[in-house]
Amino acid sequence: MAQTADDTMPPPPTTSRQAPPTLPTRQLTGIIGALALAAFLMILNETVLSVALPAIMADLSVSAAAGQWLTTGFLLTMSVVIPTTGFLLQRFSTRALFIFALSSFVVGTAIAIVAPTFAVLLVARIIQAVGTAIVLPLLMTTTLQLVPVHKRGAVMGLNSIVISVGPAVGPTVSGAIVNSFSWHYIFILMAPLAVVILVLGIVFIKLPSTARKLPVDVFSVVLSAFAFGLLVYGISTLEHAAENPVLAIACFAFGLLSLALFIKRQVRLTRDGKELLNLTPFRSRSFTFSVLLIMIAFGTLLGTIVMLPIILESGAGIGTLAIGMMLLPGGLAQAVVAPIFGRIYDRFGPRPVVIPGAAMLALGQWLYVGVDSDTALWVFMLNHVIFSIGLALLMTGLMSSAMASLEPRLYGHGSAIFNTGQQLGGAIGTTVFITVMSLLSTARLEAGSDLAHALFSGAHVAFIVGAVLATIGLAVSFFVAVDKRR
């Protein structure tokens, strides 16, 4: 990855509360806008194949287990790359990282368009994931560095639209495209958008660089890859753990051992300033509880979004386009309320945003518990709107409050930890929802139940698990402290 000419500039002195550099409004809007658009496109891409997967499986002649790797491989790559972004954000300029991330995404998307086989499509998704893993922490860190504190909640509210609405509207987009064209058009339409965003970033992202020539600890990178890669892989294969229990146990054992060694090594290297990922942010109670809560929120989000198309299409006979349109109002509701509650955060702090958000998230999950194969589609839509508004409030409050007590020098590492937690939560939530639904629906089918009742019986228990987790999240929300700077 090439550094720009301004990378040689010495970093400015940092204090625990360094004021953001003053930029013209137009330039600041251009920088945050380019990063937000890039993140929206990339996070949308994370779930855009959920509805299109059956068409891809049929076209490329692969099984459901193999097809699921388009999502699993994406999550694995994200989980391996994101922990390194704390280092990357210090080593390279914002501009260089943006260009590399968008270029990776464009290359991956171009390969996906012409992919002749499943293996090539999987490689394309992995290349896309590299860019996505870099852009998400880059957006959060740049916002923290450039936006004044009194406006940060409002901007983070807009950023939360990117992170939470993207996965919500992904199935809508793919449902509409697959209903009218082939799955290739998902990537065909995405490619020119990515190129336009890349050009916008090149035009607007021109900042004095604070990049430093830091040595990379190769052993930390290896430990990180094994720790997060094996844990995400183990989580994603839990559904089929009974078929190969030794593999599942080995993944978790080696993953946890690697994680313990990784943590120990980072603590030691931090004393000399040579760490890959600085774990100091966990000393903040507010940061720790924010990470735990975002894991719960993102886990219930992705678990719900992945499971709903399955039960509605296979269990209730509803088409992909109708399912996508049902999910759309939830995404639109998030886009409306996030900026409003961002301003409430700026004025009153996190609790008036985070606690109601956690309550609505839990309510939405409990409402899903009561659905069955005869439930009208508008009821699913209403439940999803309530759930989505709660998620928007959480994302808005948590992204700001998680970083509120951190020194500016830790923003990059805090963003890396926050986004790693998000992806781990998503992987865990998806696996828990799908595994519970699959196991129980299979048992019901073997007992003589029809497919619709079997699927909704499994989904019923999965939603109960999600509702319990969301209720735990509500309890956790009371421990997200008020920003001490207020």
Side-chain angles (χ1 to χ4, degrees):
M1 191 189 303
Q3 283 182 269
T4 56
D6 59 5
D7 286 350
T8 58
M9 295 177 59
T14 9
T15 63
S16 61
R17 290 288 177 258
Q18 184 178 6
T22 304
L23 296 175
T25 301
R26 180 183 175 186
Q27 184 184 5
L28 180 58
T29 302
I31 292 169
I32 301 299
L35 286 167
L37 287 172
F40 179 80
L41 185 64
M42 292 182 180
I43 201 75
L44 181 146
N45 175 69
E46 187 171 342
T47 59
V48 78
L49 294 187
S50 59
V51 176
L53 198 56
I56 294 173
M57 288 160 46
D59 192 31
L60 299 180
S61 302
V62 295
S63 65
Q68 194 59 41
W69 268 97
L70 294 176
T71 299
T72 303
F74 195 96
L75 287 173
L76 274 173
T77 306
M78 293 269 287
S79 65
V80 169
V81 177
I82 285 179
T84 69
T85 56
F87 168 83
L88 294 175
L89 288 166
Q90 295 180 82
R91 181 65 179 83
F92 299 98
S93 70
T94 301
R95 181 183 174 88
L97 286 173
F98 180 86
I99 292 173
F100 174 79
L102 263 292
S103 298
S104 298
F105 189 81
V106 169
V107 169
T109 305
I111 294 173
I113 291 172
V114 298
T117 64
F118 177 79
V120 175
L121 182 59
L122 179 58
V123 169
R125 289 284 286 171
I126 289 171
I127 296 172
Q128 284 183 323
V130 171
T132 306
I134 293 173
V135 159
L136 294 178
L138 189 62
L139 169 63
M140 188 181 296
T141 303
T142 303
T143 300
L144 292 166
Q145 290 173 339
L146 300 183
V147 178
V149 174
H150 66 281
K151 295 182 179 179
R152 197 171 287 167
V155 177
M156 282 296 192
L158 294 172
N159 289 347
S160 75
I161 296 174
V162 167
I163 297 174
S164 58
V165 175
V169 303
T172 304
V173 173
S174 61
I177 293 173
V178 172
N179 188 67
S180 304
F181 308 101
S182 75
W183 59 267
H184 294 87
Y185 278 86
I186 293 174
F187 301 107
I188 290 172
L189 296 175
M190 206 177 288
L193 294 175
V195 172
V196 169
I197 294 169
L198 173 59
V199 173
L200 286 175
I202 292 172
V203 170
F204 285 104
I205 302 177
K206 295 177 180 177
L207 295 166
S209 176
T210 58
R212 297 180 292 142
K213 289 187 177 180
L214 300 173
V216 60
D217 184 59
V218 178
F219 189 47
S220 291
V221 175
V222 173
L223 284 175
S224 171
F226 274 107
F228 296 105
L230 287 173
L231 287 175
V232 170
Y233 177 75
I235 291 165
S236 63
T237 56
L238 273 178
E239 181 184 350
H240 307 288
E243 300 169 10
N244 195 342
V246 175
L247 177 63
I249 293 170
C251 282
F252 281 108
F254 283 108
L256 290 172
L257 176 61
S258 299
L259 181 61
L261 292 173
F262 176 77
I263 292 171
K264 183 178 179 181
R265 188 169 182 82
Q266 298 321 295
V267 171
R268 182 170 62 81
L269 291 176
T270 298
R271 301 187 191 115
D272 303 320
K274 298 178 180 179
E275 74 282 0
L276 180 70
L277 184 64
N278 193 315
L279 302 177
T280 306
F282 281 116
R283 292 179 181 174
S284 165
R285 186 185 73 167
S286 181
F287 179 88
T288 302
F289 281 116
S290 293
V291 172
L292 176 59
L293 189 48
I294 201 62
M295 290 181 70
I296 293 173
F298 222 68
T300 54
L301 167 68
L302 290 187
T304 300
I305 285 177
V306 169
M307 192 170 70
L308 279 177
I310 296 174
I311 62 173
L312 288 174
E313 186 173 355
S314 301
I318 297 172
T320 55
L321 181 59
I323 295 170
M325 295 306 294
M326 181 275 292
L327 294 171
L328 184 59
L332 295 176
Q334 287 176 303
V336 170
V337 303
I340 296 171
F341 280 89
R343 293 186 183 93
I344 292 174
Y345 174 91
D346 284 331
R347 186 170 180 182
F348 300 106
R351 282 180 174 165
V353 178
V354 171
I355 294 173
M360 291 192 72
L361 187 84
L363 174 61
Q365 280 290 290
W366 282 112
L367 289 174
Y368 272 129
V369 170
V371 301
D372 57 34
S373 57
D374 298 321
T375 301
L377 196 59
W378 68 266
V379 175
F380 284 92
M381 182 186 71
L382 179 62
N383 294 353
H384 192 65
V385 167
I386 295 170
F387 175 83
S388 298
I389 291 174
L391 185 70
L393 269 62
L394 277 178
M395 296 295 293
T396 299
L398 292 177
M399 284 199 297
S400 298
S401 62
M403 307 296 169
S405 60
L406 303 186
E407 298 176 13
R409 67 184 181 85
L410 294 175
Y411 284 163
H413 293 284
S415 298
I417 293 169
F418 191 86
N419 283 280
T420 299
Q422 209 171 274
Q423 296 305 315
L424 283 174
I428 293 169
T430 303
T431 301
V432 167
F433 273 64
I434 298 301
T435 300
V436 170
M437 183 196 70
S438 298
L439 292 176
L440 293 177
S441 60
T442 300
R444 284 299 185 98
L445 284 172
E446 292 174 352
S449 178
D450 62 86
L451 179 60
H453 286 91
L455 281 174
F456 275 89
S457 294
H460 173 75
V461 178
F463 280 130
I464 289 176
V465 173
V468 170
L469 287 173
T471 304
I472 293 172
L474 175 58
V476 170
S477 69
F478 288 90
F479 293 93
V480 177
V482 176
D483 187 345
K484 291 183 173 57
R485 292 172 297 174
R486 298 182 185 277

